[in-house]
Amino acid sequence: MSDPRLAEPKIPKIACVEDVEEAISILEGRWKMLIVAHLYGEPVLRFSELRRAIPQVSQKMLIQQLRGLEGDGVVKRTIHAQVPPKVDYELTELGRGLGPVFLALLDWTQLRRTLLGRGEVGKDRTN
């Protein structure tokens, strides 16, 4: 099902591009989308659980990406006063609002796989 906003844009194209740039600036980075995806799977994850879930990311990079997401209001960090320290992460309302984006990405991935299977992706369509 096609979104009517794509067929007949009612906002100037430059505003659309600016909105996309804003969204990408918040979610860009190799690990941010994966972090958000893992937080969709579990309501709350400890830092160590995120580390295990994404073993390719360094501890330093994971901290940087989480702090960026927290600063942009996508993720909430809770520090529990105990020894050893316990830090939990969860999606905020803004972060949970990315649900339709993830569903659209899943649909796009399935479409791409289907077209790749039929050999339709990557063909020169000028002929």
Side-chain angles (χ1 to χ4, degrees):
M1 185 165 150
S2 181
D3 187 322
R5 292 175 293 179
L6 298 175
E8 203 173 321
K10 295 181 180 175
I11 56 175
K13 285 185 179 181
I14 190 68
C16 180
V17 170
E18 289 171 356
D19 290 347
V20 169
E21 285 176 347
E22 180 181 346
I24 288 173
S25 73
I26 292 168
L27 298 171
E28 71 182 337
R30 184 171 179 186
W31 307 108
K32 286 184 179 179
M33 292 292 281
L34 278 175
I35 292 167
V36 173
H38 281 287
L39 289 170
Y40 259 103
E42 298 290 331
V44 177
L45 284 174
R46 294 180 68 176
F47 180 81
S48 60
E49 293 170 322
L50 279 168
R51 277 279 287 151
R52 282 193 298 274
I54 313 170
Q56 307 91 333
V57 66
S58 70
Q59 180 173 332
K60 178 182 175 186
M61 182 56 68
L62 182 57
I63 290 169
Q64 287 175 350
Q65 300 284 280
L66 284 164
R67 293 277 166 91
L69 289 167
E70 181 184 15
D72 288 322
V74 177
V75 168
K76 177 185 170 192
R77 177 173 56 132
T78 304
I79 302 170
H80 300 277
Q82 66 183 50
V83 177
K86 177 182 171 187
V87 181
D88 290 335
Y89 292 91
E90 62 186 298
L91 293 176
T92 62
E93 182 179 352
L94 183 62
R96 287 188 303 275
L98 289 165
V101 174
F102 277 97
L103 293 175
L105 282 172
L106 292 172
D107 290 344
W108 180 83
T109 302
Q110 286 298 87
L111 173 64
R112 182 177 179 276
R113 286 178 184 154
T114 299
L115 294 176
L116 277 172
R118 286 191 267 173
E120 295 181 31
V121 173
K123 284 187 178 177
D124 181 4
R125 300 201 186 268
T126 58
N127 295 338

